[in-house]
Amino acid sequence: MFEKLANIFRVQDLRKRIFFTLALLAVYRLGGHIPTPGINADLLQQFFEQNRGTFLGFVDLFSGGQLRRLTIFALGIMPYITASIILQLLTVVYEPLARLQKEGELGRKKITQWTRYLTVILSALQSMAIAVSLQGSNQGFVTNPGPTFVLMTMLTLTTGSAFIMWLGEQITERGIGNGMSLLIFAGIVVGLPRALADLYQKVSTNAWGALTPIYLVALIVLMVAVVAFIVFVERSERRIPVQYAKRVVGRRVMGGQSTHLPLRVNSGGVMPVIFASSILTLPQTAGFALRDNKFFGKIIEALQWGEPMYTLLYSIGIIFFAYFYVSIVFNPNEVGDNMRKYGGFIPGIRPGKRTADYINEVLTRITLVGAFYLILISIIPEWMIAGIRLHHLPLIGHWFEWLPTAVTNGLGVNFYFGGTSLLIVVGVAMDTVNQIESQLIMRHYEGFTPRSGRIKGRRW
């Protein structure tokens, strides 16, 4: 293993890419310690500690803990992700944008440029909402309230979000791995020591009562099982057999071999989870100022993280974006046409349209399995954090009041033990290792696994 790790630094191009990636991640973490002017960081952090098991803690996870301190990178990459979702949805309903996407590299560059502009606009709106909310909270978060504070906060957070977007693009282009994914990965991993310390404190003080040892063992077993399950499913695929007919080209006989078309069970990776989370953050952000309203307050309360309505919409969003993302990255008609052009066919299936329909049927079924897998990974561990709040259901909520408090309100552990964070950490690690191994094999070095090239990461 040490010899294989040493091979990484023997390849000059790979060595430069890794050092470049580490340097930009260090810049990202450095910016996470620069506070926004005019904020009482201690009071704000105490407020987040008190609301750790709520929606605020979930949003703080994706910013790498920077939202609780309101640093210059507090918005994280959520504005960029939201902008990407909006433009990808528009490619389905807006024909000029769909034509632009089909123009190849030039069209993708244009869409990327519009994504950057929309990211800046969304960052400005979110930063203004944050500044106004903090200023009107009357809890002493702002040292010098007024229009100057709002403008300064908007300028600082918007610039920080644009800089994060630039860092992610630079890592993707000149580093190793997906830049945006690695930024989320770095934000989660850096908080693991704090999460372990918080868990140790709960155990030492018997925070869960007499059942503390049982809950601790259950939490550890669940985390190990979730990691193993993630690795198993991420490497699973449905292989469709493909046979290529023999063709005579000049004096050479081409084709005649049997191969397979691999369809991954979870083709979308963690993106459906992030997309669904981003969509559900919009009503929470927009309704923060209306939380005391009689009508909107009840709706916002029902959409809080961990509530049954939030869980239902979250699950529906994951299923929708799983199919939506697969429809963007995989085109069965194009695969069927290319297979027919090169003399390939699926045994028992006619080439062309029937082949495309068959691939689409298989892809539809395994995408549904992948969506349920994402829901399972995202919901079950987070139920342990925030609880199964079935007693909040209207009309039938009193039927579940007999459940223990640890079940209805959760164990209160940190968000870093949630299924979403584990899915991101494991998935990004597999993707990065896959890219490093591909670089080594391309230069005739031995990979990390005995059968090189078998590690399968996700494509984000």
Side-chain angles (χ1 to χ4, degrees):
M1 178 57 70
F2 291 106
E3 179 66 21
K4 295 173 182 178
L5 291 175
N7 289 338
I8 296 176
F9 298 95
R10 293 193 179 107
V11 181
Q12 183 179 4
D13 181 58
L14 184 58
R15 184 172 66 246
K16 288 182 178 179
R17 285 179 173 272
I18 291 177
F19 285 148
F20 181 79
T21 302
L22 293 176
L24 291 195
L25 290 178
V27 172
Y28 174 68
R29 291 308 308 158
L30 179 63
H33 296 279
I34 302 176
T36 301
I39 294 293
N40 190 328
D42 294 333
L43 283 178
L44 187 61
Q45 191 159 358
Q46 291 176 9
F47 177 76
F48 269 87
E49 288 293 333
Q50 296 170 1
N51 295 271
R52 182 170 49 190
T54 64
F55 164 79
L56 290 175
F58 179 76
V59 177
D60 188 51
L61 169 68
F62 284 94
S63 67
Q66 299 183 41
L67 185 60
R68 67 173 58 226
R69 300 187 303 271
L70 203 68
T71 64
I72 60 174
F73 291 164
L75 293 180
I77 69 166
M78 294 301 284
Y80 180 82
I81 294 174
T82 306
S84 301
I85 295 172
I86 293 174
L87 283 176
Q88 288 183 6
L89 288 174
L90 286 177
T91 55
V92 180
V93 298
Y94 188 54
E95 184 61 29
L97 198 59
R99 289 198 303 267
L100 188 63
Q101 189 182 32
K102 297 177 182 178
E103 290 182 2
E105 186 66 24
L106 184 62
R108 285 192 294 270
K109 286 184 177 180
K110 193 68 176 179
I111 293 176
T112 301
Q113 186 178 8
W114 289 353
T115 304
R116 294 169 184 163
Y117 295 151
L118 186 57
T119 300
V120 173
I121 295 173
L122 292 176
S123 300
L125 294 175
Q126 290 186 17
S127 59
M128 183 176 66
I130 290 174
V132 173
S133 300
L134 290 176
Q135 188 172 258
S137 62
N138 297 323
Q139 297 190 33
F141 296 143
V142 181
T143 56
N144 295 306
T148 306
F149 166 77
V150 176
L151 292 176
M152 178 60 69
T153 303
M154 289 179 60
L155 178 62
T156 303
L157 296 184
T158 303
T159 304
S161 181
F163 186 72
I164 289 176
M165 178 176 60
W166 180 82
L167 286 178
E169 291 178 352
Q170 290 299 310
I171 291 175
T172 302
E173 181 180 352
R174 302 172 57 186
I176 195 80
N178 184 283
M180 297 300 175
S181 306
L182 282 174
L183 292 179
I184 300 178
F185 175 86
I188 294 174
V189 170
V190 77
L192 287 177
R194 185 171 68 248
L196 292 174
D198 178 72
L199 184 62
Y200 175 77
Q201 183 181 3
K202 281 183 167 56
V203 173
S204 60
T205 58
N206 278 336
W208 301 318
L211 298 178
T212 297
I214 298 177
Y215 288 145
L216 177 63
V217 172
L219 179 62
I220 295 174
V221 170
L222 180 65
M223 287 185 60
V224 174
V226 167
V227 172
F229 186 52
I230 290 172
V231 174
F232 173 75
V233 177
E234 291 298 321
R235 299 182 63 180
S236 300
E237 60 185 21
R238 168 75 157 84
R239 297 183 176 182
I240 299 178
V242 178
Q243 180 71 38
Y244 283 91
K246 291 183 179 181
R247 295 181 301 162
V248 178
V249 181
R251 296 183 178 181
R252 299 179 61 185
V253 178
M254 308 289 292
Q257 75 272 17
S258 298
T259 181
H260 64 270
L261 176 66
L263 298 178
R264 296 187 56 200
V265 174
N266 183 29
S267 301
V270 77
M271 291 310 294
V273 176
I274 297 178
F275 283 3
S277 304
S278 301
I279 291 298
L280 287 177
T281 59
L282 293 179
Q284 292 283 350
T285 304
F288 187 80
L290 301 173
R291 63 189 184 280
D292 296 328
N293 186 280
K294 293 182 179 180
F295 177 74
F296 292 103
K298 293 181 179 180
I299 299 177
I300 296 169
E301 185 177 353
L303 292 177
Q304 286 182 356
W305 191 84
E307 295 293 332
M309 181 59 69
Y310 177 92
T311 303
L312 176 62
L313 294 178
Y314 189 35
S315 302
I316 295 174
I318 289 176
I319 295 175
F320 171 77
F321 283 112
Y323 280 102
F324 176 75
Y325 195 80
V326 168
S327 67
I328 294 176
V329 300
F330 193 89
N331 189 346
N333 294 324
E334 185 178 344
V335 173
D337 290 340
N338 291 335
M339 196 181 298
R340 179 176 53 82
K341 289 178 183 178
Y342 292 98
F345 62 93
I346 299 173
I349 306 296
R350 288 184 179 181
K353 181 68 166 58
R354 185 68 189 93
T355 297
D357 292 341
Y358 176 76
I359 294 175
N360 187 53
E361 290 174 4
V362 175
L363 191 63
T364 300
R365 290 196 296 267
I366 66 172
T367 300
L368 183 62
V369 174
F372 282 128
Y373 146 75
L374 290 176
I375 293 173
L376 187 68
I377 292 298
S378 302
I379 296 300
I380 290 184
E382 290 173 1
W383 271 347
M384 294 190 67
I385 298 172
I388 308 174
R389 300 175 183 175
L390 297 177
H391 60 295
H392 290 176
L393 288 172
L395 302 179
I396 62 173
H398 59 279
W399 293 354
F400 303 98
E401 292 179 352
W402 58 271
L403 293 173
T405 306
V407 176
T408 56
N409 296 326
L411 300 178
V413 294
N414 221 310
F415 273 85
Y416 303 101
F417 296 109
T420 306
S421 56
L422 287 178
L423 180 62
I424 293 172
V425 169
V426 175
V428 174
M430 290 176 62
D431 178 59
T432 306
V433 170
N434 178 53
Q435 291 199 24
I436 293 175
E437 185 167 22
S438 299
Q439 294 280 341
L440 291 174
I441 295 172
M442 186 172 60
R443 292 167 174 80
H444 307 291
Y445 284 94
E446 187 179 358
F448 292 105
T449 55
R451 302 173 70 178
S452 299
R454 290 301 180 95
I455 294 180
K456 294 178 175 63
R458 64 166 56 90
R459 296 178 180 178
W460 286 13

